[in-house]
Amino acid sequence: MDFTRLRLLVELERLGTMAAVSEVTGMSTSAVSKHFSVLEKEAGVPLLAPDGRRVRLTPAGRRLAEHAVDILARVEAAQAEFEGEGAPVGRVDLVMYTSAAPIVLPALRRLRNDHPGIDIHLTEYESEQALDLLQDGEADLGVVYQYSLLPRRFPGILTVYPMGTESLLLSQPSRGADSRILTRRRLRELSDAAWIASPFRGDEEALVHRMCADAGFTPRIVHRIDTLELFEELVATGMGVGVVPRLSTTTRRGIAHAPVGELGGVRQVYLAGRTGGWAWCPIRVVASYLRRAAEDVLDDVPPLPF
């Protein structure tokens, strides 16, 4: 079967419509449709079925899409192995979330000195958007996260490796604050507090709701703030409380932090990339430097499998 047509099938499984496949591939809708007609002849079974004005994959189509993910990953791996021979040279597009800077920046400084042939292009995005970039081939490697109590469903065409964990803290005004591990009883004392959440990270707000529900109340999300400085100003002046990862905290006067413990779990950090891309030497080198930098700031850092 033609690899182009298999890629189109994978995109249809992911995106759901011919129009969306046409948009991401740059092909016309009619050209996409013709490719699927040929693919059905090659497969010998119906792969698509009408669904109103759209089409849907038949069970055989879904199964072939699953095989196609593995087939294409193996093709990418073979190509990457050939291209990765010799010294690590080439461009690596790296996407990261903001508070991963204590991991990423030291790694990039070391890379620049040790492997000047690797050209890093850095993009800042939240993990949900980063995963989209990785799927679409617009990034090669990503530093992403999930909350242990709210696991993500990572896309099948990506391979992720755990890079460590980061504790979560309750940020609160320092006056009268208790910095011991948070308990349900102490959390209930904040049932009337104004809570702060991000306007862009829905999982952060979901975590606050889950923690407070565990303590028996619904939090009042009053402020939706994404800037750390403004977040800290609100907390320091007694206008709100919120949950922050440890790497995002500072020692600003007027703020106290308490570990959330089992009520909030931890933030789990991962390296993510397209399955076939991991065989390429520059990506593996960048990953190894990121992992080494993670040892200085994260907990429970495991070895990479390569």
Side-chain angles (χ1 to χ4, degrees), residues 208-275:
V208 170
H209 276 280
R210 176 164 179 159
M211 289 174 54
C212 295
D214 197 12
F217 70 95
T218 300
R220 294 190 307 120
I221 307 293
V222 176
H223 312 293
R224 286 181 168 81
I225 302 298
D226 194 56
T227 305
L228 178 61
E229 291 78 6
L230 182 53
F231 173 91
E232 291 184 331
E233 181 69 20
L234 289 170
V235 174
T237 55
M239 297 179 65
V241 298
V243 175
V244 291
R246 178 175 52 81
L247 293 185
S248 297
T249 61
T250 66
T251 56
R252 176 169 176 156
R253 185 175 180 180
I255 298 178
H257 298 105
V260 301
E262 65 177 14
L263 286 177
V266 296
R267 184 153 80 166
Q268 299 166 326
V269 184
Y270 295 87
L271 283 172
R274 291 176 70 91
T275 298

Side-chain angles (χ1 to χ4, degrees), residues 9 57-68:
L9 184 67
L57 293 181
T58 64
R62 290 195 298 271
R63 184 59 177 156
L64 182 56
E66 293 174 1
H67 283 300

Side-chain angles (χ1 to χ4, degrees), residues 20-68:
V21 174
S22 173
E23 183 177 348
V24 299
T25 60
M27 295 184 184
S28 67
T29 305
S30 61
V32 171
S33 179
K34 289 178 181 177
H35 275 296
F36 283 130
S37 296
V38 174
L39 185 60
E40 284 190 320
K41 293 178 181 178
E42 292 175 339
V45 293
L47 302 176
L48 308 178
D51 187 7
R53 299 180 64 183
R54 299 184 176 185
V55 295
R56 58 178 172 80
L57 293 181
T58 64
R62 290 195 298 271
R63 184 59 177 156
L64 182 56
E66 293 174 1
H67 283 300

Side-chain angles (χ1 to χ4, degrees), residues 7 23 29 55 89 129 131 143 169 181 198 213 281 288 292:
R7 288 190 177 93
E23 183 177 348
T29 305
V55 295
V89 175
Q129 291 75 32
L131 293 171
V143 181
L169 305 172
I181 294 178
S198 168
C281 183
S288 67
R292 188 191 312 172

